[in-house]
């Protein structure tokens, strides 16, 4: 086995968008601004080892210790894309060890956590190899992560993170994510997200295809305008702590996202019957108990059940008794807003 010349390891979390990124142009630039909660328990932990290279670049990827040749093209494409910015990238062979803290087949997208972990690793290695500090390490990592997967650029920071230019967000950019620096009501600081795993496994249409279908989508222009308006409203809600307004805005964003999928050409549906059953249960429970539970969806069938931390014990009991039976293998993951990525011990 050849000698490892450099190595770096990072853990990076997944995130869940409140205002959704759906539609892109150019090289991974968003058609509208978005904002997400960074999660905590759903993470990717990766270690990249740089090895001596002679001849063509070799890339090996291991998932949970098992060699995964099917992951290589995605990693190779990412490396090719960021190579113009990190001149040493083409000088080594790569060995990447990666694992997700959530089940691989859970239907939870690992691209945000995986690509952000890899981008952070590349920034770390850049500092090691060049001997120079990157002046804004996380901004650079966010920019690189974006080139791998759009939503990954928001996973580089903890808490609430936006991406895409917007007048209501200072320092916002198309190029990288921005940690939310506006006033934040305490209720949003430790919001809970229980991911109800309705459908584990590959989804029928990838996000990349879905984004592409926004080009020429009959509602595209209006959608991009509404996303901007929703972000402006959300900034005010985040300050006031108005949970009724929060519920209305976030649920509407989720349904609009899926409405866009259902009205694209060709159209498609990623929700499953149990997705709708769970949504109805959430609405009933909220009405009957006055507990501010709400849902959001990403590009899949799983339901993210969001609620303030003070209701944790009560809501978890209800999930177990009433919602888990609607999940595949009764599986769900209790997560919450997290602090963002961290460097791992290198061994
Ligand atoms: C519905 O970031 O997975 O989750 O940029 O093609 O990698 P690519 O797409 P991706 O899209 C995420 C879409 C979403 C909404 C969001 O996270 O904002």
């Amino acid at each position: 086995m050849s000698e490892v010349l450099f190595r770096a390891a990072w853990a990076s979390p997944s995130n869940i968008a409140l205002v959704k990124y759906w539609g892109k142009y150019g090289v991974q630039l968003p058609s509208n601004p978005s904002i997400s909660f960074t999660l905590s328990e759903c993470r990717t932990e990766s270690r990249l080892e740089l090895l001596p290279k002679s001849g063509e670049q070799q890339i090996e990827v291991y998932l949970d210790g098992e060699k995964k040749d099917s992951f290589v093209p995605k990693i190779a494409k990412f490396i090719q894309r960021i190579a113009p910015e990190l001149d040493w990238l083409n000088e080594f062979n790569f060995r990447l060890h990666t694992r997700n803290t959530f089940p691989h087949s859970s239907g939870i997208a690992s691209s945000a956590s995986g690509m952000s972990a890899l981008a952070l690793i590349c920034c770390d290695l850049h500092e090691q190899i060049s001997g120079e500090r990157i002046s804004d390490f996380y901004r650079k990592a966010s920019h690189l992560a974006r080139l791998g997967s759009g939503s990954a650029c928001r996973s580089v920071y903890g808490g609430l993170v936006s991406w895409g230019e917007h007048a209501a967000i200072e320092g916002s950019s198309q190029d990288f994510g921005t940690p939310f620096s506006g006033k934040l009501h305490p209720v949003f600081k430790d919001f809970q997200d229980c991911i109800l795993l309705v459908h584990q496994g590959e989804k029928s249409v990838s996000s990349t295809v879905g984004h592409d279908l926004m080009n020429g989508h009959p509602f595209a222009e209006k959608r991009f305008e509404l996303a901007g308006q929703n972000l402006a409203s959300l900034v005010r809600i985040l300050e006031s702590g108005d949970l009724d307004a929060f519920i209305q805005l976030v649920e509407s964003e989720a349904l609009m996202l899926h409405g866009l999928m259902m009205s694209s050409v060709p159209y498609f549906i990623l929700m499953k019957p149990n997705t709708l059953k769970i949504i109805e249960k959430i609405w009933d429970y909220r009405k009957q108990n006055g507990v501010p539970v709400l849902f959001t969806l990403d590009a899949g069938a799983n339901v993210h059940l969001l609620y303030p931390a003070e209701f944790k014990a009560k809501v978890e009991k209800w999930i177990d008794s009433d919602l888990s039976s609607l999940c595949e293998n009764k599986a769900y993951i209790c997560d919450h807003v997290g602090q963002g990525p961290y460097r791992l011990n290198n061994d």
Side-chain angles (χ1 to χ4, degrees):
M1 206 176 271
S2 31
E3 178 203 359
V4 175
L5 302 173
F6 295 95
R7 75 177 106 213
W10 279 75
S12 190
S14 183
N15 68 69
I16 181 67
L18 305 172
V19 172
K20 310 288 181 181
Y21 146 56
W22 199 242
K24 57 180 165 180
Y25 64 92
V27 184
Q28 293 279 102
L29 296 166
S31 299
N32 65 262
S34 58
I35 189 163
S36 52
F37 276 138
T38 294
L39 298 178
S40 174
E41 304 310 310
C42 294
R43 299 184 300 276
T44 298
E45 298 176 353
S46 296
R47 184 176 78 241
L48 183 61
E49 297 172 342
L50 302 185
L51 307 159
K53 174 186 152 199
S54 59
E56 216 172 288
Q57 188 172 48
Q58 308 288 320
I59 299 173
E60 285 178 5
V61 183
Y62 295 83
L63 177 69
D64 296 320
E66 238 174 75
K67 200 157 184 267
K68 277 272 175 193
D69 291 338
S70 59
F71 282 24
V72 172
K74 201 170 180 194
I75 304 297
K77 191 173 165 196
F78 176 62
I79 288 168
Q80 200 188 355
R81 215 174 238 180
I82 67 169
E85 300 187 40
L86 303 174
D87 51 7
W88 49 268
L89 269 173
N90 288 322
E91 291 168 19
F92 301 96
N93 286 338
F94 285 16
R95 192 191 293 141
L96 178 68
H97 286 274
T98 188
R99 69 175 282 266
N100 297 321
T101 56
F102 47 92
H104 180 58
S105 62
S106 62
I108 299 177
S110 57
S111 64
S113 52
M115 284 299 170
S116 54
L118 194 50
L120 286 153
I121 286 171
C122 287
C123 289
D124 190 323
L125 288 169
H126 184 75
E127 290 194 339
Q128 290 182 40
I129 294 166
S130 68
E132 285 165 18
R133 285 254 159 269
I134 297 174
S135 62
D136 198 332
F137 185 91
Y138 287 94
R139 175 178 292 190
K140 177 76 175 177
S142 178
H143 156 77
L144 295 178
R146 189 202 94 226
L147 298 174
S149 176
S151 57
C153 78
R154 299 185 310 236
S155 274
V156 161
Y157 301 100
L160 276 154
V161 187
S162 72
W163 170 39
E165 252 165 46
H166 194 285
I169 304 225
E170 219 187 287
S172 59
S173 166
Q174 296 290 85
D175 188 23
F176 46 77
T178 309
F180 183 68
S181 60
K183 287 209 179 91
L184 189 62
H185 189 279
V187 74
F188 296 118
K189 291 199 172 140
D190 52 0
F191 233 68
Q192 305 293 301
D193 178 6
C194 177
I195 309 164
L196 300 156
L197 303 175
V198 171
H199 178 70
Q200 308 189 35
E202 284 286 299
K203 52 193 179 195
S204 53
V205 180
S206 72
S207 291
T208 306
V209 171
H211 285 294
D212 278 352
L213 291 173
M214 286 306 285
N215 291 317
H217 191 293
F219 305 147
E221 220 170 295
K222 194 70 198 169
R223 161 60 194 162
F224 301 147
E225 189 188 318
L226 284 174
Q229 285 173 17
N230 279 345
L231 186 50
S233 304
L234 188 59
V235 168
R236 290 190 291 271
I237 294 167
L238 290 172
E239 179 172 355
S240 71
D242 180 345
L243 284 175
D244 288 337
F246 183 73
I247 289 169
Q248 205 190 327
L249 190 150
V250 172
E251 291 191 344
S252 161
E253 269 290 321
L255 293 179
M256 201 186 305
L257 168 71
H258 284 256
L260 291 164
M261 298 173 191
M262 289 191 248
S263 50
S264 59
V265 188
Y267 48 79
F268 59 104
I269 300 179
L270 295 182
M271 291 184 287
K272 299 282 177 197
N274 282 356
T275 311
L276 295 180
K277 281 190 188 151
I278 290 174
I279 291 174
E280 283 185 340
K281 289 231 177 217
I282 291 171
W283 286 346
D284 277 352
Y285 183 80
R286 190 161 76 216
K287 212 167 159 192
Q288 304 296 331
N289 297 278
V291 177
V293 288
L294 64 140
F295 72 85
T296 189
L297 306 165
D298 57 15
N302 296 334
V303 179
H304 289 249
L305 174 66
L306 304 176
Y307 61 96
E310 65 175 290
F311 300 102
K312 190 166 157 59
K314 191 175 161 115
V315 171
E316 281 186 357
K317 228 168 161 186
W318 167 60
I319 293 168
D320 193 44
S321 64
D322 284 50
L323 300 182
S324 63
S325 56
L326 295 168
C327 301
E328 202 174 328
N329 304 321
K330 297 199 165 190
Y332 58 88
I333 299 173
C334 295
D335 209 338
H336 53 91
V337 176
Q339 306 294 309
Y342 50 93
R343 188 183 270 113
L344 291 167
N345 189 331
N346 231 338
D347 310 324

